[in-house]
Amino acid sequence: MKLLLSCSYTIYYVEGVPMKLKFTKMQGCGNDYLYVNCMDGMIPEPGKISAYVSPRHLSVGSDGLICICPSDKADFRMRMFNADASEGMMCGNGSRCIAKFVYDKGLTQKNPITLETLSGIKTIAMDVADGKVVSATVDMGVPITDPSSIPMTWEKSICLDETITVTVDGAPLSLRGTGVSMGNPHFVTFVEDVATAPVEKVGRVIEHSSYFPERVNVEFVEIVDDNHVKFRVWERGSGETLACGTGACAVAYTAITLGKAGRRDQFLTVEAVGGPLQLNYRSDGHMMMKGPAVTVYEGEMEIPDNILK
């Protein structure tokens, strides 16, 4: 019997015997994760397990793994792991799905709930129909624009619609964009046609550029009209995903601040490949995000012992 200590909780598993992982696959606008109930104990090696379960076609397939844990500061605590095993600070779509998980499974009857994340405590209000959560609104907090706090290597006090230069295929490429953090760092740039934007080629380069010492998510945004924008996102640690909640917040902040689309205290439709979210950048500085939360299926799989060592 091997004793594992993680996240201040204790869990036992028998070394040499595959661990059975019970999970719920959930998605918000196509941003899908495996959700694990860790209220009675943290699973071992969650980063390694995330990397094992995430590859599409080769495993269950997801953008990562989210553990739902107890908290001494809020109603629940989220630990979120990317497909490359790294631990993320915050996941907007994931936070809505956690609210659905804990409410639908009877872990709470509270509405709203509070959720502890590495980016602070978030408040989530749920829309309930026939006893099940169908959507949720998350107070995502105040956009962070100070470069040192994003973090971003930038000499000015803010990077708002500024030009950065990176090397793509051996040649310099200059593009305008905005650096902002919504718990995760983002770089938002506008394009004429999001469908043809070089998301993988350019997104990967910007993610690993010297401008962002902790890497970055990159959003490519097309203005549809005054109240509607579309975007595609390259997420650090996961590659292109169908949606990104903190990315949608970064897009809304940038579009409204630059006067390209949307207005303060009104909802702006921010449409990812996986579907639309509604963003309200309030006059008090807080960004409110409303969107769906969907349970795909429940499952159980074996995790090989070598993954847990």
Side-chain angles (χ1 to χ4, degrees):
M1 189 77 74
K2 183 176 181 180
L3 176 65
L4 293 172
L5 297 175
S6 182
C7 195
S8 300
Y9 308 111
T10 306
I11 185 169
Y12 293 88
Y13 84 98
V14 179
E15 198 167 5
V17 178
M19 183 184 79
K20 292 187 180 296
L21 180 74
K22 292 184 178 181
F23 66 86
T24 302
K25 186 167 184 178
M26 307 181 77
Q27 60 92 2
C29 292
N31 198 191
D32 61 337
Y33 291 87
L34 301 193
Y35 292 76
V36 180
N37 184 345
C38 296
M39 294 298 291
D40 293 327
M42 187 63 186
I43 59 174
E45 300 293 349
K48 292 181 180 179
I49 292 176
S50 181
Y52 178 75
V53 302
S54 293
R56 302 186 189 276
H57 309 296
L58 300 175
S59 188
V60 179
S62 67
D63 292 327
L65 177 80
I66 290 180
C67 299
I68 303 167
C69 307
S71 171
D72 58 5
K73 301 176 182 178
D75 295 318
F76 300 93
R77 179 186 179 198
M78 172 173 70
R79 294 191 67 191
M80 171 261 184
F81 298 87
N82 296 308
D84 68 350
S86 62
E87 185 166 4
M89 299 286 290
M90 171 58 183
C91 178
N93 291 317
S95 64
R96 296 197 314 276
C97 288
I98 284 181
K100 178 175 176 61
F101 185 104
V102 298
Y103 190 91
D104 288 3
K105 291 184 177 295
L107 299 182
T108 185
Q109 294 181 329
K110 294 179 64 175
N111 187 7
I113 64 167
T114 54
L115 181 66
E116 180 187 354
T117 77
L118 290 179
S119 296
I121 295 176
K122 310 300 179 185
T123 301
I124 310 170
M126 295 164 278
D127 300 311
V128 180
D130 297 325
K132 302 290 185 182
V133 173
V134 293
S135 64
T137 301
V138 186
D139 184 344
M140 297 292 287
V142 178
I144 298 169
T145 59
D146 170 45
S148 64
S149 300
I150 292 175
M152 179 180 185
T153 303
W154 195 252
E155 294 183 355
K156 299 180 182 179
S157 62
I158 189 172
C159 179
L160 181 65
D161 197 30
E162 297 277 4
T163 299
I164 68 169
T165 302
V166 294
T167 301
V168 179
D169 292 337
L173 173 68
S174 295
L175 70 164
R176 299 185 71 85
T178 295
V180 58
S181 173
M182 290 300 310
N184 295 322
H186 295 273
F187 184 76
V188 181
T189 186
F190 291 90
V191 296
E192 290 294 324
D193 181 9
V194 72
T196 60
V199 174
E200 179 173 0
K201 179 183 290 188
V202 177
R204 187 188 303 275
V205 171
I206 296 175
E207 176 193 357
H208 295 280
S209 73
S210 60
Y211 292 104
F212 300 98
E214 296 181 9
R215 299 186 294 165
V216 71
N217 299 347
V218 187
E219 285 74 32
F220 299 80
V221 187
E222 174 188 342
I223 304 297
V224 178
D225 58 41
D226 289 346
N227 300 302
H228 184 191
V229 300
K230 293 181 177 181
F231 80 106
R232 288 168 63 192
V233 57
W234 178 266
E235 288 200 58
R236 61 175 181 173
S238 293
E240 184 174 5
T241 60
L242 296 183
C244 175
T246 58
C249 294
V251 168
Y253 161 78
T254 305
I256 293 170
T257 301
L258 294 178
K260 292 182 177 290
R263 295 175 180 83
R264 298 288 285 266
D265 295 314
Q266 297 182 17
F267 277 104
L268 170 68
T269 299
V270 180
E271 182 181 355
V273 175
L277 293 167
Q278 300 298 318
L279 279 300
N280 181 1
Y281 186 23
R282 299 189 318 204
S283 56
D284 65 0
H286 283 243
M287 185 70 71
M288 309 300 292
M289 178 189 64
K290 181 176 183 178
V294 179
T295 297
V296 182
Y297 61 82
E298 307 275 352
E300 182 177 292
M301 68 181 298
E302 287 189 349
I303 306 298
D305 184 59
N306 66 292
I307 301 295
L308 306 177
K309 291 182 179 178

